[in-house]
Amino acid sequence: MAGTVTRRPALWSGIAAGVLVLLTVPAIGIRLQDPAPAESLPRGIPVIDAAARVQEAFPGVTMPAHLVLWNTRGGPVDTPALRRAIGELTSATPKPAVIVPVDQALVVRIPLGGTGNDEAASRTLTALRETLLPRTIGRLDGIGYAVAGRTAEAHDFTAQVLARAPYVFGFILLLAFVLLLVVFRSVAVPVVSILLNLLSVGAAYGVLTLVFQDGFLAPLLGFTPYGGVLGWLPMFLFVLLFGLSTDYHVFILSRIRERRLSGGSPREAIVEGTARSSGVVTSAALIMTGVFSIFLSLAAIEYKMLGLGMAVAILLDATIVRGVLLPAALALFGDRLWRAEAVANLKDPSRTLHLS
């Protein structure tokens, strides 16, 4: 395969990159949202079916927002003025609210409508926090308030993940770039490595969105789509997959570099280095794909997402990325890829003796 793609590297690079980009496209519309308790397991389970029917009959009741009210000066918070403000607030909500005294505070359970974790519930939660509460409870002096509940918890967790994701991604990318630059003494090597890893991760995101958010293959895999992807899964997959992809990448590049420094032509080094490492990479990928595929046999949709995301990403990485795109991309660079390495060897010829 490496011999074939290095003969026409531009063509094969375009085809492989096009396939991965096409798989990544569905990830543009990804919606990060954890499933409700009734959505995590299949409807075929009696208790889950009963919970789903209750949710359908009484939208938002099973996952209400918990509005916590307290006196910022201390002491009881329940006053006639607060009760009137609560009545004004709940008159704008889709269902009646329930007020529960807890010590000196009040907890108001407000149904949000929808399923509790869909876009309708999220819009209601945002309106409650940003518009309704400031206009009602917020006008009272000395009253503190906060909104909790499963919908708010999932919403806030996703917002926190999205806010921190650039720092996590940036740190990993920068660290990978520096390490590869130090090891291979070439700017092109870390740049190509990072781009290839990003393509494989993006393709995994796209497959997750297509299968679990849009419902493609849902009957075959035995789950009911709820219109979202787990909020913690994309960052988890990125960290894990980037590490695994870099591991495969460094292993193959080390064999290619050894062959190039021993006197082989750039194309010979790519073909022979890829061939020498193909058995180990393929075996490791098959083992890991098999292990993560077992997660698809579990009932909870969270495990299915994790298993499919990891299995697909590793399979794509070991075939399209490492088998086609990597040798083709290296062939496009040719000897320029190792020019800095060759200069370093001329300055210190003893370095070539330690490659094994």
Side-chain angles (χ1 to χ4, degrees), residues 43-80:
R43 285 287 295 265
I45 301 176
V47 66
I48 299 299
D49 182 62
R53 292 188 180 188
V54 170
Q55 176 62 42
E56 292 169 359
F58 306 98
V61 174
T62 57
M63 292 178 61
H66 294 171
L67 172 61
V68 183
L69 304 170
W70 68 92
N71 191 334
T72 57
R73 302 186 182 93
V77 70
D78 196 356
T79 62

Side-chain angles (χ1 to χ4, degrees), residues 241-307:
L241 292 175
F242 202 92
L244 291 172
S245 299
T246 304
D247 185 36
Y248 292 157
H249 194 76
V250 170
F251 190 79
I252 297 172
L253 283 180
S254 298
R255 304 289 82 78
I256 295 174
R257 187 182 76 165
E258 290 175 3
R259 183 67 183 91
R260 181 69 187 100
L261 296 180
S262 65
S265 67
R267 185 172 178 273
E268 289 175 348
I270 295 171
V271 174
E272 294 181 20
T274 304
R276 287 174 58 188
S277 57
S278 62
V280 176
V281 172
T282 302
S283 300
L286 287 175
I287 291 172
M288 298 195 70
T289 300
V291 169
F292 284 112
S293 296
I294 296 175
F295 284 61
L296 294 173
S297 65
L298 303 179
I301 194 172
E302 296 91 336
Y303 299 130
K304 292 180 184 292
M305 284 190 193
L306 174 61

Side-chain angles (χ1 to χ4, degrees), residues 10 45 67 70 93 110 115 118 126 147 176 190 194 220 271 313 337 351-352:
I45 301 176
L67 172 61
W70 68 92
T93 58
I110 304 175
T115 62
D118 56 3
T126 301
V147 181
I194 289 174
L220 179 63
V271 174
L337 197 68
R351 292 181 71 251
T352 59

Side-chain angles (χ1 to χ4, degrees), residues 8 25 81 90 144 156 187 292 319 339:
R8 304 187 67 180
V25 169
T90 57
D156 294 345
V187 175
F292 284 112
T319 54
R339 186 167 295 164

Side-chain angles (χ1 to χ4, degrees), residues 327-346:
L330 296 180
L332 285 176
F333 278 94
D335 205 34
R336 292 172 296 172
L337 197 68
W338 312 106
R339 186 167 295 164
E341 184 75 24
V343 171
N345 290 331
L346 289 175

Side-chain angles (χ1 to χ4, degrees), residues 170-239:
F171 174 78
I172 293 175
L173 295 178
L174 180 61
L175 182 62
F177 180 86
V178 172
L179 290 176
L180 292 173
L181 181 64
V182 171
V183 172
F184 294 103
R185 298 196 178 191
S186 170
V187 175
V189 169
V191 170
V192 171
S193 304
I194 289 174
L195 289 178
L196 295 186
N197 290 349
L198 289 177
L199 280 174
S200 61
V201 172
Y205 287 174
V207 172
L208 278 176
T209 305
L210 182 65
V211 172
F212 290 99
Q213 181 172 310
D214 300 335
F216 182 68
L217 299 180
L220 179 63
L221 297 178
F223 70 91
T224 301
Y226 66 91
V229 174
L230 288 170
W232 56 267
L233 190 56
M235 184 179 293
F236 179 86
L237 286 180
F238 178 84
V239 174

